[in-house]
Amino acid sequence: MLLPWGTRREIDWFTKDMGRIFPREWERFCSFLPEAEREGDLCAAYARLLADSDPAVYQQAALEWCRWEDTHVSLMPGWEPSLRYCDPQFSLIFSRLVTHYWSRGCFLADGELMAGMPLLADIPAVLIHGRWDISGPMDVALNLHRAWPKSDLWILEGAGHGGMGFSEAMTAALDRFRTPF
């Protein structure tokens, strides 16, 4: 999964607001947290559990975080649960990395990344986004594209947060920038 552009709104969308789309799954995601932390910064709460010294605590926290990760991509056509989350080492590293950055706002002030877009103004880019990606809503990609004058936004109609067509689209995008020797 790619990180959002670092705003609190985008992190809250993923950790809280998507509970409106998946209410039962979100309740399960929150139920692992201490009750007093279920209304606050869920990333920080999970980060604390993932850093616990008790393997039973941090392994279950990693499983719950990754279960939620897998839920929000489940709307795309052809979705199947990701086998990578079955690997305890992968799920622990992945969940610790995401919660570390997100609980700290990706180490950016809200809007800081977009404010730096003029630095990229003359650099061409291809942004690839799946139509079914609700965890990274289309408006985020569209706003980035609008702020980046030399970018193209490719929307993959049959894809979600990764999945069908991404490898081919990335290859085609890279081919556009290939210079002959």
Side-chain angles (χ1 to χ4, degrees), residues 95-163:
S95 57
R96 280 179 172 169
L97 178 68
V98 173
T99 60
H100 175 74
Y101 279 91
W102 286 7
S103 66
R104 292 160 177 83
C106 299
F107 296 94
L108 298 167
D110 265 6
E112 184 176 350
L113 185 62
M114 292 299 279
M117 290 309 297
L119 299 172
L120 301 176
D122 294 325
I123 299 173
V126 174
L127 310 173
I128 304 168
H129 196 278
R131 171 72 66 197
W132 291 91
D133 185 356
I134 60 164
S135 64
M138 186 69 69
D139 68 329
V140 175
L142 185 60
N143 290 335
L144 178 61
H145 168 61
R146 287 177 176 155
W148 196 339
K150 292 206 174 182
S151 70
D152 288 329
L153 176 59
W154 295 359
I155 300 169
L156 304 183
E157 296 298 331
H161 194 78

